[in-house]
């Protein structure tokens, strides 16, 4: 039968059939060989990457970095800027290293506020007990007693803490670009009291307890159920370990956050500081600078304390503000007040202070020219109605992220 088929079949067609059969056999052999190879690979060994432990230096000196005379972070030995990719192909470890350096930078800025700017730390809440989480703000010596002028600085969201605008700029550019120090020093020179808020210090982070939960009193004790539970637990543990091995080769400490009373968010923090500090300050004229989410928190303060803010605040400089008068349900009277007393410097290629199209009917928008933020402090402070265009006594430029 096969002979007759082959005799009647063109030779080229027969050759094609034979080649297809050979190719199919080769594919099956390759697949089998690949399966055999994979079965012999030790996945545990395969996943043992050379990721160092998450144990990083606690000081700049141990990191072998220091700020030079220009406020730039440089390597002590090479003089080179900070390098993020210290280890190739270990992005997670590099990120953890960067975050560890960031925590050291935070403490370094606190030292600058205290030693260079002569500011003091005030604990929040003001009536905190010894065993509850606390936050803090910084005050200049005359922040509460200055009878004339008070400048309040509110940063944006994220990892930045009191005295910082942007951690990335502190590390990659210089202290003048990423901290509030130039604003504070210039304001003090011009006779302002200064208050530095800390809206991202909202919680105490503690390690989670590793104790296993007690078995439920409602568990059934019949053997089949126990066998099923043990099997489910075993399978679940295997899946979790397998997943963790690929996603997280080096397990991190699990933590939980305990909120700081009445300061659990940026909005709560700004409101609390207003009630317990700004509203009680002797200054007849308060000036506020708020960056990014700090602008949203200020508008929320307006919503909560409208009449008080109008009576005490002369002018507000916003930079890339994240506020939204519609989503925040801001009143028409607040919007009108913002038109007269607020200005929002936003990222724009236009020259500095160029008037831009308004996005909302709240406050004028002007160019911050290449992400430079401008804060204007007035020479003559009046009650509501003061124009931000009057001659400034301090004009400070910096760049934000």
């Amino acid at each position: 039968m096969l002979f007759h088929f082959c005799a009647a079949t063109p030779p080229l067609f027969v050759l094609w059939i034979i080649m297809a059969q050979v190719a199919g056999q080769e594919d099956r052999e390759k697949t089998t060989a690949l399966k055999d190879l994979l079965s012999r690979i030790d996945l545990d060994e395969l996943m043992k990457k050379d990721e160092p432990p998450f144990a990083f230096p606690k000081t700049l000196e141990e990191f072998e970095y220091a700020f030079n005379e220009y406020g730039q972070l440089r390597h002590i030995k090479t003089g080179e800027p900070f390098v993020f990719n210290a280890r190739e192909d270990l992005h997670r470890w590099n990120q953890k290293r960067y975050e560890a350096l960031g925590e050291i930078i935070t403490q370094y800025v606190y030292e600058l506020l205290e030693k260079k700017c002569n500011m003091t730390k005030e604990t929040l809440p003001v009536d905190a007990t010894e065993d509850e989480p606390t936050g803090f703000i910084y005050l200049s010596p005359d922040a509460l007693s200055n009878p004339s002028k008070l400048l309040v600085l509110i940063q944006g969201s994220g990892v930045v803490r009191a005295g910082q605008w942007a951690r990335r700029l502190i590390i990659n550019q210089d202290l003048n670009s990423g901290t509030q120090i130039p604003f504070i020093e210039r304001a003090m020179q011009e006779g302002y009291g200064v208050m530095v808020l800390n809206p991202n210090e909202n919680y105490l982070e503690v390690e989670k307890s590793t104790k296993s939960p007690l078995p439920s009193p409602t568990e059934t004790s019949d053997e089949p159920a126990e066998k099923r539970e043990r099997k489910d637990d075993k399978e679940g543990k295997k899946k979790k370990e397998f997943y963790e091995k690929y996603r997280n080769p080096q397990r991190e400490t699990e933590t939980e956050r305990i909120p700081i009373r009445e300061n659990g968010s940026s909005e709560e923090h700004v409101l609390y500081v207003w009630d317990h500090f700004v509203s009680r300050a002797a200054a007849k004229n308060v000036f506020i600078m708020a960056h990014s989410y700090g602008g949203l928190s200020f508008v929320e303060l307006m919503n909560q304390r409208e009449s008080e803010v109008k009576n005490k605040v002369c002018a507000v400089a916003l930079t890339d503000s994240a506020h939204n008068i519609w989503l925040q349900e801001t009143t028409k009277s607040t919007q009108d007040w913002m038109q007269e007393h607020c200005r929002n410097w936003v990222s724009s290629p236009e020259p500095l202070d160029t008037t831009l199209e308004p996005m909302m009917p709240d406050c004028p928008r002007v160019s911050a020219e290449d992400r430079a933020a401008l804060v204007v402090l007035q020479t003559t402070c009046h009650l509501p109605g003061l124009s931000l265009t009057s001659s400034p006594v301090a004009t400070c430029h910096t760049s934000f992220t």
Side-chain angles (χ1 to χ4, degrees):
M1 184 73 176
L2 180 61
F3 174 78
H4 291 297
F5 173 77
C6 292
T9 304
L12 288 177
F13 183 65
V14 173
L15 180 61
W16 179 83
I17 293 175
I18 294 173
M19 291 177 64
Q21 291 174 342
V22 172
Q25 180 65 25
E26 289 179 350
D27 288 342
R28 286 192 293 273
E29 290 177 355
K30 288 179 180 178
T31 302
T32 302
L34 180 60
K35 288 182 178 179
D36 180 61
L37 176 62
L38 289 175
S39 67
R40 289 185 280 110
I41 291 177
D42 189 337
L43 291 179
D44 288 340
E45 292 298 322
L46 185 65
M47 289 309 299
K48 282 183 179 178
K49 298 184 66 176
D50 296 328
E51 184 178 63
F54 295 150
F56 300 102
K58 301 299 182 183
T59 65
L60 277 179
E61 291 76 14
E62 292 174 358
F63 253 104
E64 296 188 332
Y65 279 94
F67 286 99
N68 63 21
E69 58 181 321
Y70 304 107
Q72 301 166 325
L73 188 67
R74 293 292 183 265
H75 195 275
I76 294 174
K77 296 178 180 178
T78 66
E80 295 295 318
F82 176 76
V83 177
F84 178 86
N85 289 317
R87 301 283 183 105
E88 291 295 331
D89 300 323
L90 291 176
H91 178 79
R92 193 170 70 108
W93 185 87
N94 288 328
Q95 179 63 33
K96 292 295 179 183
R97 173 175 172 268
Y98 177 81
E99 292 170 3
L101 176 62
E103 293 302 313
I104 296 174
I105 295 296
T106 293
Q107 298 302 319
Y108 185 86
V109 174
Y110 289 161
E111 291 183 14
L112 290 179
L113 292 176
E114 295 171 10
K115 297 177 181 179
K116 187 176 183 180
C117 300
N118 195 30
M119 304 190 82
T120 56
K121 184 184 293 186
E122 291 291 329
T123 301
L124 307 179
V126 294
D127 58 347
T129 60
E130 292 184 0
D131 57 350
E132 74 170 307
T134 59
F136 53 88
I137 59 174
Y138 275 98
L139 306 179
S140 66
D142 64 340
L144 299 177
S145 61
N146 190 312
S148 178
K149 300 175 289 189
L150 172 66
L151 174 65
V152 179
L153 299 177
I154 310 175
Q155 63 196 195
S157 61
V159 297
V160 289
R161 294 296 185 266
Q164 300 182 51
W165 291 127
R167 174 184 289 181
R168 183 182 66 81
L169 292 180
I170 297 174
I171 294 176
N172 296 326
Q173 292 193 27
D174 54 48
L175 291 168
N176 283 342
S177 298
T179 75
Q180 299 172 350
I181 304 298
F183 294 80
I184 296 168
E185 292 182 325
R186 185 63 180 272
M188 289 181 172
Q189 292 172 9
E190 300 294 339
Y192 286 76
V194 182
M195 193 174 295
V196 176
L197 273 58
N198 202 8
N200 300 318
E201 189 82 12
N202 309 128
Y203 54 83
L204 173 66
E205 193 163 21
V206 297
E207 186 174 348
K208 280 186 177 181
S209 173
T210 56
K211 293 182 180 179
S212 302
L214 295 174
S216 170
T218 60
E219 282 185 355
T220 58
S221 59
D222 58 291
E223 186 174 341
E226 289 179 350
K227 286 183 177 180
R228 286 196 300 271
E229 288 174 2
R230 285 198 297 271
K231 183 179 179 181
D232 291 343
D233 289 344
K234 189 176 181 180
E235 290 298 320
K237 186 177 180 181
K238 282 184 178 179
K239 290 179 181 178
K240 183 177 180 180
E241 289 178 349
F242 181 81
Y243 172 73
E244 286 293 330
K245 193 170 292 183
Y246 279 84
R247 183 193 67 84
N248 190 9
Q250 186 178 169
R251 194 183 300 273
E252 299 175 43
T253 303
E254 293 186 1
T255 60
E256 60 180 339
R257 296 175 174 180
I258 304 174
I260 298 173
R261 176 165 52 91
E262 298 182 80
N263 286 266
S265 67
S266 175
E267 297 93 321
E268 285 186 8
H269 175 81
V270 172
L271 179 62
Y272 187 89
V273 173
W274 175 271
D275 288 342
H276 292 82
F277 294 92
V278 182
S279 66
R280 301 177 183 181
K284 296 179 180 179
N285 306 286
V286 174
F287 299 84
I288 295 177
M289 180 180 179
H291 175 57
S292 187
Y293 200 88
L296 184 149
S297 298
F298 166 75
V299 172
E300 192 60 30
L301 172 66
M302 286 286 297
N303 291 342
Q304 299 292 328
R305 301 288 187 270
E306 181 178 350
S307 60
E308 294 181 29
V309 172
K310 288 180 177 179
N311 287 332
K312 202 166 182 69
V313 176
C314 289
V316 181
L318 304 172
T319 58
D320 281 328
S321 178
H323 74 276
N324 188 308
I325 58 172
W326 293 319
L327 293 179
Q328 294 182 258
E329 299 181 352
T330 306
T331 64
K332 180 62 166 58
S333 59
T334 292
Q335 295 174 31
D336 292 341
W337 184 90
M338 291 178 66
Q339 280 283 350
E340 296 294 327
H341 298 80
C342 300
R343 178 168 294 176
N344 187 15
W345 278 266
V346 300
S347 303
S348 168
E350 299 295 329
L352 183 65
D353 283 341
T354 300
T355 300
L356 304 175
E357 287 293 324
M359 300 292 290
M360 293 176 286
D362 49 12
C363 60
R365 297 170 70 248
V366 294
S367 172
E369 190 183 24
D370 195 24
R371 299 192 72 81
L374 174 69
V375 59
V376 181
L377 310 177
Q378 314 306 315
T379 51
T380 306
C381 301
H382 302 289
L383 291 176
L386 174 68
S387 170
L388 278 167
T389 58
S390 59
S391 55
V393 297
T395 303
C396 303
H397 293 80
T398 189
S399 298
F400 300 152
T401 55

